[in-house]
Amino acid sequence: MAETSASRPASTILLLRDGAKAEGKSRGEVEIFMMVRHHQIEFNSGALVFPGGSVDAGDKEIVARADLYSGGEGLSESDRGFRIAAIRETFEESGILLARAKGTGTPVDARRAGEIADAHRVALNEHKISFLKILEDNGLQLALDTLVPYAHWITPEGMPKRFDTWFFLAAAPPDQLGAHDGRESTDSIWLSAREAVEGGESGRFKLPFPTTRNLIRLAKQASVKDALEHARGLSIVTVMPVMTKTETGRQLRIPREAGYDGEVFEVGAVG
């Protein structure tokens, strides 16, 4: 068995919008913003994923600056760090910004988010400017209360690279459509959870196991409002899959009470 490494704190956001109604249907499906990770990225290369990444030192600096976020009341420093990282990574990877104007509390609209992304996103991704400075210079506060905890997954023991990841749901700000950065991701798409899962089954998409399970759970929700209300009512159970090799491939065992319609899952051939 490979030596177990420590898990790194990380966050990801399922950005949601209500899709258009198809002919003959009373309502559309919930759509999610997803990206294809660059094939040269070490972790989950080529996979269809939600925007996200590791909590870094800069996120912790923002935690200490209560003037740079709102909606963090009642959250621990650790919880605020996960949410700040989620919003930063989403901005870096998609240009979508979950923030408000300091003073007025007005949500950042698509035009303003686009201006900020055009001015700073490349420099931020190249580590030439900090997210903290972007917030200061543009009079912004991160909207931590727009994120609703949805799941908590930890990479199985024995894996060389491990993450302690919080999944959040958030309604995408109106008209902020998002665009991949061309660096960590090579494509981006809005699609329904059903389409994503079907794409994983057909081979159109490469879907990590936690991504698939969360998509299947989300597909049961009829609207963004329903999805957020469902998430607010969840009792989140931490999932750290236990992996076993079988004659036909790999088997993952997760807690049944985590709410993923099962406990043991076959995940294909070892290779």
Side-chain angles (χ1 to χ4, degrees):
M1 191 181 209
E3 183 179 343
T4 296
S5 59
S7 55
R8 296 169 55 184
S11 303
T12 190
I13 297 184
L14 286 68
L15 284 164
L16 311 179
R17 72 181 187 187
D18 288 314
K21 296 176 186 176
E23 189 173 345
K25 293 194 175 182
S26 60
R27 67 199 313 172
E29 295 180 88
V30 177
E31 294 182 336
I32 309 131
F33 181 82
M34 300 188 74
M35 305 175 307
V36 177
R37 287 181 66 82
H38 197 287
H39 70 279
Q40 293 178 335
I41 292 290
E42 182 182 357
F43 187 74
N44 278 338
S45 62
L48 186 69
V49 297
F50 314 118
S54 297
V55 180
D56 67 19
D59 300 323
K60 295 173 183 176
E61 290 179 9
I62 296 172
V63 168
R65 290 282 306 275
D67 60 311
L68 295 180
Y69 53 86
S70 60
E73 302 81 6
L75 298 176
S76 67
E77 286 191 11
S78 174
D79 289 342
R80 280 177 273 163
F82 278 111
R83 293 187 190 219
I84 289 165
I87 295 174
R88 173 187 53 77
E89 285 280 354
T90 296
F91 177 69
E92 288 181 2
E93 295 185 349
S94 72
I96 293 174
L97 184 56
L98 296 165
R100 302 181 176 102
K102 190 184 290 188
T104 66
T106 305
V108 170
D109 62 18
R111 181 189 62 80
R112 182 71 179 125
E115 290 173 350
I116 295 167
D118 290 345
H120 301 297
R121 192 173 160 205
V122 171
L124 179 62
N125 279 320
E126 294 177 351
H127 307 292
K128 294 177 180 176
I129 190 173
S130 70
F131 196 41
L132 187 152
K133 182 161 177 57
I134 293 172
L135 299 177
E136 281 187 326
D137 290 353
N138 290 276
L140 300 176
Q141 290 184 321
L142 301 180
L144 303 191
D145 53 322
T146 59
L147 275 59
V148 181
Y150 192 57
H152 182 214
W153 286 67
I154 301 175
T155 309
E157 291 183 344
M159 302 296 285
K161 199 162 191 176
R162 302 181 64 231
F163 294 92
D164 177 340
T165 305
W166 275 95
F167 291 72
F168 297 96
L169 296 191
D175 300 322
Q176 289 198 43
L177 302 180
H180 54 282
D181 60 10
R183 292 163 56 91
E184 291 194 14
S185 55
T186 57
D187 197 7
S188 56
I189 185 173
W190 284 96
L191 77 174
S192 71
R194 175 189 54 79
E195 289 175 300
V197 171
E198 288 175 356
E201 292 171 347
S202 71
R204 177 187 174 196
F205 301 128
K206 175 183 173 184
L207 291 177
F209 179 70
T211 305
T212 300
R213 301 321 308 172
N214 281 298
L215 285 167
I216 290 171
R217 182 161 74 171
L218 186 65
K220 299 175 183 178
Q221 304 304 317
S223 68
V224 173
K225 182 174 179 287
D226 289 346
L228 294 173
E229 286 181 358
H230 173 253
R232 290 187 185 101
L234 287 174
S235 178
I236 293 174
V237 174
T238 298
V239 177
M240 186 171 73
V242 176
M243 185 168 61
T244 305
K245 290 183 180 179
T246 66
E247 291 182 1
T248 56
R250 290 175 300 161
Q251 195 178 75
L252 293 179
R253 182 180 295 273
I254 67 174
R256 182 175 296 276
E257 61 270 23
Y260 290 103
D261 299 330
E263 186 175 8
V264 178
F265 298 87
E266 303 291 336
V267 291
V270 177

